[in-house]
Amino acid sequence: MMRSMFAGVSGLRSHQTMMDVVGHNIANVNTPGFKASQVTFQEALAQIVRGASGSGGERGGINAVPVGLGTQVASIDGVFTQGASQVTGRATDLAVQGEGFFVLDQGGQQFFTRAGAFNFDEVGTLVAAGGLKVLGWVADAQGNVNTDAAIGQITLPVSQVIEPEPTGFVDIGGNLSSDDPVGAVQTTSVTVFDSLGNPVDLVASFEKTGSNSWSVTATADGNALTTSPAALTFDTTGTLTSAGTISLSGYTPPGADPLAFDLRLDGDAPLVQFGGNSTAEVLAQDGNAIGFLRSFAFADDGTITGQFSNGNTKVMGQVATAVFNNPGGLTRVGNSNFAASVNSGEAIVGSPGSGNRGLVSAGTLEMSNVDLALEFTNLIIAQRGFQANSRIITASDELLGDLVNLKR
């Protein structure tokens, strides 16, 4: 009878643990990145009243007679199924679609999470909600990311700039009208940039000098430039037959290097001479002024691209993700974070989308994977199990009472 009472006590303890786990799951039904847990019971060690014996000449074998001692918790396992994605609209909210965890750092110790509610702190470091630093790679000056290097904190200083680039070419296309009289002038203008990124007003003029021939002149901020060659010729089909590239030089902006760039007339939409209106205009150019960081965006491979005030973009870094041979072996450390254990295996770190790592979805959060219908069912099971085991103790107590009352 004492054995039955202790078996009932073990059942109460086990079902209380189950109730604790179910309650924890339900409490975190709206926690981003939360992974539910499930409890597995196992039979406790049984007491052997009589051992088994083999068959003999006069009788057959006899089975052992074990008496069970109740139940115990065998394991509490994490359920790492994908949670639903919720669109938040915040550029720094990230969700992993598939396998993998974001890697966080706190004082040199790494943690792992599926909760991607990140933001940039006052110095431009990407951090998680609890202040842990998000790890990845920072791009070099050319915007290249070396994912073979060790991961570190991702810092994007708000003062970061893109250096200016002097103009190297200006593409001009369109039509110089063959109907124009000799002496007619067609002009087009564009802003180019010197070596310091300062804007310079360029005006290119085309003057008709004869049948199928034109001269080219140009000014920069009103200063005459040297054009080489300085003449254009077209054949009778309106196709340019002279050099398609004209070099411009001869002016030095204050404090900058001398201007030196090309007018390209034979690009994808070349300059032609047909009848009708003249439509010669600038189609493309390179060069830019200094660019100040204005905003950023995350790509599905975790790449962070900065948008700058001069219209250019540049890769500035990349978020890392990690996978494990046994994610169920991770240790929960609170705040929706996990730590590696001897049974999880080492973190295999890489860029999102590589190997078996899932891609990153920006502007969304992965919600809890708690199934409320299942948890409420488990709640009833735990309650009924607890209730049934309490009845074992009550019945055993009544039997003990009857035993004590035998002398009355």
Side-chain angles (χ1 to χ4, degrees):
M1 286 181 287
M2 294 300 294
R3 282 194 299 249
S4 65
M5 186 170 288
F6 286 125
V9 171
S10 71
L12 292 180
R13 289 175 176 172
S14 297
H15 283 86
Q16 180 59 60
T17 300
M18 181 180 180
M19 183 70 76
D20 293 339
V21 172
V22 172
H24 182 65
N25 289 344
I26 294 176
N28 286 279
V29 67
N30 289 317
T31 302
F34 177 78
K35 298 302 177 184
S37 299
Q38 66 179 16
V39 178
T40 303
F41 295 159
Q42 68 180 7
E43 179 187 12
L45 178 66
Q47 180 179 359
I48 304 300
V49 177
R50 185 184 66 200
S53 63
S55 61
E58 298 180 357
R59 66 176 183 177
I62 300 175
N63 293 330
V65 179
V67 177
L69 299 179
T71 186
Q72 62 186 359
V73 175
S75 65
I76 301 176
D77 302 307
V79 180
F80 287 90
T81 57
Q82 179 85 36
S85 295
Q86 178 177 344
V87 177
T88 65
R90 294 181 68 247
T92 53
D93 282 347
L94 304 178
V96 178
Q97 302 295 328
E99 299 295 323
F101 297 81
F102 297 110
V103 187
L104 308 178
D105 173 78
Q106 185 179 37
Q109 184 176 3
Q110 288 187 358
F111 298 101
F112 308 91
T113 187
R114 296 279 294 191
F118 303 145
N119 60 80
F120 288 99
D121 65 13
E122 76 281 3
V123 296
T125 300
L126 188 64
V127 297
L132 279 69
K133 298 176 181 179
V134 182
L135 300 185
W137 302 274
V138 177
D140 60 20
Q142 289 71 43
N144 301 314
V145 177
N146 180 15
T147 56
D148 294 328
I151 57 176
Q153 69 183 41
I154 301 172
T155 301
L156 307 182
V158 294
S159 59
Q160 187 164 355
V161 299
I162 285 184
E163 295 182 359
E165 178 186 353
T167 297
F169 70 86
V170 174
D171 285 348
I172 295 180
N175 183 46
L176 292 176
S177 178
S178 61
D179 299 332
D180 284 350
V182 173
V185 178
Q186 304 295 336
T187 62
T188 184
S189 62
V190 68
T191 298
V192 296
F193 299 94
D194 63 19
S195 60
L196 298 178
N198 295 317
V200 177
D201 292 330
L202 172 70
V203 178
S205 301
F206 300 89
E207 181 180 358
K208 190 169 186 179
T209 57
S211 177
N212 299 331
S213 62
W214 300 72
S215 65
V216 183
T217 58
T219 62
D221 284 345
N223 300 278
L225 297 176
T226 300
T227 58
S228 178
L232 304 178
T233 57
F234 296 88
D235 61 20
T236 55
T237 65
T239 302
L240 183 67
T241 57
S242 58
T245 300
I246 297 176
S247 299
L248 300 183
S249 60
Y251 171 63
T252 302
D257 293 335
L259 289 182
F261 56 94
D262 296 330
L263 291 183
R264 303 195 308 196
L265 311 178
D266 56 354
D268 294 336
L271 191 66
V272 295
Q273 179 191 256
F274 296 117
N277 297 326
S278 290
T279 60
E281 60 181 354
V282 174
L283 303 178
Q285 67 176 103
D286 67 347
N288 54 258
I290 186 172
F292 299 95
L293 182 62
R294 288 290 181 260
S295 61
F296 53 86
F298 287 84
D300 58 8
D301 64 350
T303 300
I304 309 170
T305 302
Q307 285 84 40
F308 291 81
S309 58
N310 59 6
N312 287 358
T313 61
K314 178 183 176 182
V315 174
M316 305 179 68
Q318 189 172 12
V319 174
T321 54
V323 293
F324 295 86
N325 289 327
N326 176 29
L330 293 171
T331 302
R332 295 175 186 260
V333 295
N335 299 323
S336 297
N337 297 330
F338 299 86
S341 74
V342 293
N343 196 39
S344 66
E346 293 294 327
I348 307 172
V349 179
S351 58
S354 64
N356 62 335
R357 302 172 191 85
L359 296 173
V360 168
S361 177
T364 63
L365 286 177
E366 181 186 358
M367 300 307 295
S368 170
N369 69 347
V370 171
D371 184 343
L372 274 180
L374 176 61
E375 298 304 328
F376 283 144
T377 302
N378 288 337
L379 201 64
I380 296 172
I381 293 173
Q383 187 229 351
R384 291 305 183 189
F386 190 94
Q387 185 180 39
N389 280 274
S390 68
R391 294 299 299 164
I392 295 174
I393 297 175
T394 301
S396 298
D397 178 61
E398 291 176 355
L399 290 176
L400 288 173
D402 291 340
L403 180 61
V404 170
N405 292 329
L406 284 178
K407 292 179 65 178
R408 294 184 182 179

